[in-house]
Structures are given as structure tokens and as C-alpha cells.
Amino acid sequence: MFRFRLALVIAVSFSFVLLLGAGMYWGSEQVAGHFQRSQSAYKAFDHYERLSQEAYRYFKQQMDRLITGGSNAETELETSKQRLLEAMQALRDQAIKQPTNPTDRQDQDKSAELERVANLTAFLDASEYRFNEVEHLYKQGKRDLALLALSKFSDEEIDVKFQPLIDDAIHNERKKAAQAKQELENLVRQSRLAAIFASVVAAIFSLTAGIFMLGRLKKPIEALMQGTDEIASGNLSYRISLNSGDEFAYLASHFNEMALELGVQQEKLRQNQAELEYRVEERTFELHQLNQELKHMDTERREFLADISHELRTPMTVIRGEAEVTLRGPNRDAEEYKDTLHRIVDLSMQLGKYVNDLLFLARAETANLQFEWDELNLTELIGSSVEDFKVMAEVNNISLSFTGLEQSIWVKGDKQRLRQVLFILGDNACRYSKPGGHIRITSWLEAEYVHISLADQGIGIPSQDLEQIFDRHFRSQNARLLQDDGSGLGLPLARSILKAHGGLINVSSTENTGSTFTISLPLISANEDHVSYE
């Protein structure tokens, strides 16, 4: 219903607009027509004025020539005649092009205009004939008759016939211009009155329709606003009562359904919240139980570490005692030394097992490592480490070459920790190199860093594993197949130590070809800007 009323108001308003537009268009067409008629009348008036001037100039020149009998004015006479003919032709063209309206009066005006033009044309043709007769009399020597004929033409033809034709035509064109002006003024006045009337009617209609529509909208909108306020305040039991049978009643009905659905959803939320609280309480109790179990496991871990520490202390003490006793005793034969070494080897294997157990339990991070910072000669440290590498390489039937720096290179760091990094890389190179392979160690300077590269010809690292080799406990598949006793802690530990020194470690590798590890450490001048001492 409301949509129908709104559409009706819009249709009536649109009709008003169309009607007003049509009226304005008709008025503009009428104004254009009257203006064109007025302009045509003024143009015709100008043409008649020009024709009159040209005709009298021509008549005067003809009379002067005939009276004086001179021949000097022939050229001017010919020019004057030409201008008269042009004026006559322009008047004739104007009469033909004169606009007409589909009315009898306009058709009569145009016919009268054409008739006047025809009479003027006929008079000019006749005047030319009369001038020729007068000239003929002059040539026959009948001057008196010629002057009499010329005077009679001037008095009877020009003054009695030609001048009234011109005056009547000018008067008629003035009358038509005045009439067109009057009609134009009347049309403007009528258009103004019509516009005022249409504006008043449109204003009254718009005001009436606005008041009507406002009255129809006010009550349902207020009811809907009150309903939304009640729902927003939490009163989901509130219902909107509208029985208008229109779109607002439809909206109110759906609003009430929404409020009912919200109430049902709110009740479900309360139930779910209660159930959630119950489950949270259960999970809290379970977490408490798990926490107690974790505490128990932590206690067991501490006891295990204490046991392992005791077990480590024992074989180390025995190893030391065996070595000291054997060294102190004089005159020991080779068999006794051999037996002592066998016992030391067995205890070392047991000690290695304990160390491997501890490595799997270790969670060493940079923040937990202790460093003893000092200025150290890295050239000496690399040289001594290379000598140790040679021993490990010989055991594994691997050759080793070293290309290093001859001058002393000073860095700030922990000597034992840096040695640990070198041993991790050297041990991995020896463990994963093929017998008969070669290890190449190189050191060089670049900018404010010293670089140490260790390249082997071992099993290499698969490309998909390169990004993970520095993760704790990660070992590539081929490494696990070759050596099953690794822990995957060496490379992460080496990176942590280098990070604490402001350094980096990079790797490039090709599977079944070999790997190259490169470490970079800042020199002592640059190192002071990167390292935070502990």
C-alpha cells in the first residue's frame, strides 16, 4: 500500500514536470516564430527603404541626363541602375523567403507582399520604357514634348503611383513588426501566468503530499525506533504492534521474529556458557594433574642427572687413577701397559655413552652459554686446531690441506668456545667424508671480517635439508644412514656460539659431492660494535 501511494505521488510529480516542460517548449517555439516574423518585417522594411532610395537616385540621374543632355553621367547611371536592380532582387528574395504559419491571415500577408513586389517590378520596367520614349523625343529634336513627358512622368507616375506603393509597403511592414511584437508580449505574459499557476499547483500538491506521507510514516517509524531501542537495551520480549497492512507492518512482523530468534539464541548461549564453564573446570583439574606429573618427571630428571653425574665422575676418576698408577710404577712391561690401556678404552667407551645421553637431554641456547671474553690471536687458534684435525683425518684415511694467513689476526672472543666451533666442523668433515677423500681449510680477510672455510668431499647435504641443518636434533637422511650415533646438536651449538661473537656461519653443499662450511668473525675493531660481553 505505501509503495503504491509513493509511486502515485512520484507519477503525479513527474506528470507535472512533463506538462511544464511541454508548455515551456511550446512557448519557446511560439516566441521563436514571433521573433522570426518580427525580424522578417524589419528586414523587409530595410529593403523597401533601400529600394526607395535607389529608385529616386536612379530617377534623378535619368532626368538630369535627359535635361542637360550630357554624356558624362553614363557610368554613374549604369552603376545606379545596377544597384536598383540588386535592391529589387533582394526585396523579391525576402518576399519569397518570408516565413508563413498555417493560418489564412499569414497566407494573405505573403500574397499581398508578393503582389506589391510585382507591382514595383512592373512600375520600374514601365519607367524604363518611359525614359526611353523621352530620350527618343530628344533625339528627334522635340525638346518641349520631351520635357512635358518627363514632367508628366514625374508628377503622375512617380508621385502618384510609385511613392504610394513604397509608403504602403513600409507602413505594412511596420504594422507587421508591431503586431509581432504585441503578440510576443502577450505570449510572454501568458507564459508567465502559466508558470506561476503551475508553480502554485505544484507547491500545493507537494505540500499536501508531503503532509500526507509524513502522517503515514510517523507512527510506524516511531514504533520501529522504539522497538530497536528496547531490543538494544536487552528487552528481547518486546514486540512491535502494527496493523497497517503495509510494508511497515511486514517489517514489524519480521522484526518480532528476529527478536524471538535472538531470545532463543541467547538462551542457547547461556546454556553453552554454563557447559563451557563446566568443561573449563574439568580441564583445569586435568591441567593440575598434568602439572603434578610434570613436577614428578622433573624430579626424576634431576635425579637422573645426579645419577649420570655420579656415573661420569666414577669412570673419569678410574681413568685418571689407572694412568697415574701406571706412570708412577717403574719397570713396567709392555703387557701391563697394554692391559691398562684396554681398561682406559673400556671406561672411555662407557664415558662416551654417558656423554651421548647428556647430549640428547641438552637444551643449550646462547643465553645459557657462559663465555670468557678476551683478545686472542685467531691465526694461532686455527693453526693448533688444524694440527688436531690432521690426527683425526689420518685415522679416517683422509688427506688435509691448509691455506691460511701468515700475519696475526686478532678478534675478541672465548678461545675455548671458538675452538669448540672449529672442532664441530672438523669432526663432521672427518665423520662424513669418504675414505681417501680430501679436506681443504682456507682462511682470508675481507673488509672488517676474517673468514674460515672448511670444504670436504663427503656425502653432502640434500638441498631440501639445507634450511634445517641448524635446527636442534635435525639430521639429514643420508647422515643418519652413515652414522647413527649423532645427536644433531653440533651445528646449532656452533651457530649459537658464533652469533654471540657477532659472527655468521654459511653452508653450500651438493649431495654425494661434498659440503663447504664458512664462518665469518668480525675483527677486533668491528667486533667491539657487535658483541655484548657477559
Side-chain angles (χ1 to χ4, degrees), residues 70-130:
S71 59
N72 296 329
E74 289 293 335
T75 302
E76 294 182 1
L77 182 63
E78 188 65 27
T79 302
S80 180
K81 182 180 180 180
Q82 183 64 33
R83 292 174 64 180
L84 177 60
L85 292 176
E86 290 176 358
M88 192 64 217
Q89 184 63 38
L91 180 61
R92 187 181 296 109
D93 294 339
Q94 175 64 28
I96 294 174
K97 292 189 296 184
Q98 180 179 352
T100 58
N101 289 331
T103 62
D104 294 336
R105 185 174 60 84
Q106 295 296 331
D107 290 339
Q108 292 175 2
D109 290 344
K110 186 170 183 179
S111 299
E113 183 72 21
L114 293 174
E115 184 178 355
R116 279 192 294 272
V117 171
N119 291 333
L120 288 172
T121 302
F123 177 81
L124 292 176
D125 292 337
S127 65
E128 187 69 23
Y129 176 76
R130 295 294 295 273

Side-chain angles (χ1 to χ4, degrees), residues 303-522:
E303 293 175 355
F304 173 74
L305 290 176
D307 294 339
I308 289 294
S309 299
H310 175 73
E311 293 296 331
L312 286 174
R313 193 182 305 114
T314 300
M316 290 177 63
T317 303
V318 174
I319 290 172
R320 182 178 179 181
E322 288 284 352
E324 290 179 348
V325 170
T326 303
L327 291 174
R328 284 199 301 267
N331 300 322
R332 297 282 186 177
D333 56 17
E335 191 64 30
E336 291 179 350
Y337 282 114
K338 186 175 180 180
D339 292 339
T340 301
L341 290 175
H342 277 301
R343 286 193 298 272
I344 291 174
V345 169
D346 292 339
L347 291 170
S348 297
M349 293 177 62
Q350 183 179 1
L351 184 61
K353 183 177 181 302
Y354 293 154
V355 170
N356 286 334
D357 292 340
L358 286 176
L359 285 174
F360 280 105
L361 295 174
R363 293 294 185 269
E365 297 292 342
T366 303
N368 297 326
L369 297 175
Q370 301 298 319
F371 295 92
E372 295 180 1
W373 299 99
D374 195 6
E375 295 182 2
L376 59 95
N377 188 344
L378 190 63
T379 302
E380 294 181 356
L381 178 61
I382 297 173
S384 62
S385 299
V386 169
E387 294 300 322
D388 295 333
F389 294 164
K390 289 180 179 179
V391 176
M392 291 188 291
E394 290 176 359
V395 173
N396 292 277
N397 193 22
I398 299 170
S399 61
L400 185 144
S401 64
F402 171 62
T403 304
L405 298 167
E406 296 180 359
Q407 73 272 27
S408 297
I409 304 300
W410 294 89
V411 298
K412 183 74 86 173
D414 187 322
K415 182 176 181 180
Q416 296 303 324
R417 291 296 184 186
L418 292 178
R419 184 190 297 274
Q420 185 178 2
V421 171
L422 295 174
F423 266 87
I424 289 172
L425 299 179
D427 181 62
N428 284 346
C430 293
R431 285 163 57 87
Y432 299 111
S433 290
K434 302 173 183 178
H438 181 75
I439 298 175
R440 184 178 69 257
I441 303 173
T442 309
S443 63
W444 70 94
L445 291 175
E446 183 179 349
E448 297 180 347
Y449 283 81
V450 58
H451 304 279
I452 305 168
S453 172
L454 194 149
D456 61 50
Q457 297 177 344
I459 62 174
I461 303 169
S463 58
Q464 66 272 16
D465 295 340
L466 282 175
E467 295 182 359
Q468 303 179 65
I469 61 172
F470 293 103
D471 296 338
R472 294 176 61 82
H473 303 295
F474 177 82
R475 298 183 69 206
S476 59
Q477 180 67 29
N478 57 354
R480 290 196 299 270
L481 293 175
L482 184 63
Q483 298 284 346
D484 60 352
D485 59 345
S487 61
L489 294 174
L491 290 178
L493 181 60
R495 185 175 64 173
S496 299
I497 294 173
L498 290 171
K499 181 179 179 181
H501 284 76
L504 298 170
I505 181 169
N506 296 303
V507 61
S508 61
S509 181
T510 303
E511 192 174 5
N512 297 322
T513 300
S515 303
T516 301
F517 285 86
T518 304
I519 63 176
S520 303
L521 287 169

Side-chain angles (χ1 to χ4, degrees), residues 185-225:
E185 291 176 353
N186 293 337
L187 181 61
V188 170
R189 184 167 54 256
Q190 293 173 3
S191 299
R192 186 182 298 112
L193 293 176
I196 294 173
F197 175 77
S199 300
V200 171
V201 172
I204 294 174
F205 174 79
S206 299
L207 182 61
T208 304
I211 294 174
F212 174 77
M213 297 298 291
L214 182 62
R216 299 292 297 180
L217 287 174
K218 183 178 180 182
K219 182 179 177 181
I221 288 179
E222 289 178 349
L224 290 171
M225 290 177 62

Side-chain angles (χ1 to χ4, degrees), residues 163-176:
Q163 186 62 42
L165 283 175
I166 290 295
D167 292 341
D168 181 67
I170 292 175
H171 175 73
N172 185 70
E173 294 303 326
R174 285 178 176 173
K175 183 180 178 181
K176 287 199 297 185

Side-chain angles (χ1 to χ4, degrees), residues 131-273:
F131 282 127
N132 290 333
E133 286 182 345
V134 172
E135 185 177 5
H136 182 67
L137 291 173
Y138 267 109
K139 290 180 179 180
Q140 291 179 353
K142 301 177 181 179
R143 179 179 177 80
D144 294 336
L145 291 176
L147 291 175
L148 180 62
L150 191 61
S151 175
K152 184 178 180 181
F153 173 77
S154 175
D155 294 337
E156 295 179 0
E157 299 294 333
I158 295 178
D159 295 338
V160 175
K161 293 183 179 180
F162 178 76
Q163 186 62 42
L165 283 175
I166 290 295
D167 292 341
D168 181 67
I170 292 175
H171 175 73
N172 185 70
E173 294 303 326
R174 285 178 176 173
K175 183 180 178 181
K176 287 199 297 185
Q179 185 179 2
K181 180 180 180 182
Q182 183 63 38
E183 290 177 353
L184 182 60
E185 291 176 353
N186 293 337
L187 181 61
V188 170
R189 184 167 54 256
Q190 293 173 3
S191 299
R192 186 182 298 112
L193 293 176
I196 294 173
F197 175 77
S199 300
V200 171
V201 172
I204 294 174
F205 174 79
S206 299
L207 182 61
T208 304
I211 294 174
F212 174 77
M213 297 298 291
L214 182 62
R216 299 292 297 180
L217 287 174
K218 183 178 180 182
K219 182 179 177 181
I221 288 179
E222 289 178 349
L224 290 171
M225 290 177 62
Q226 184 178 359
T228 55
D229 291 338
E230 291 291 336
I231 296 298
S233 63
N235 184 14
L236 297 180
S237 61
Y238 183 84
R239 298 294 181 267
I240 300 175
S241 177
L242 279 179
N243 299 318
S244 57
D246 56 8
E247 290 80 4
F248 290 105
Y250 178 82
L251 181 60
S253 174
H254 281 69
F255 189 91
N256 293 334
E257 293 178 3
M258 181 189 70
L260 178 62
E261 185 66 23
L262 285 175
V264 173
Q265 294 296 330
Q266 190 178 60
E267 183 61 28
K268 289 182 178 179
L269 285 175
R270 291 195 187 98
Q271 296 176 359
N272 292 335
Q273 184 177 5

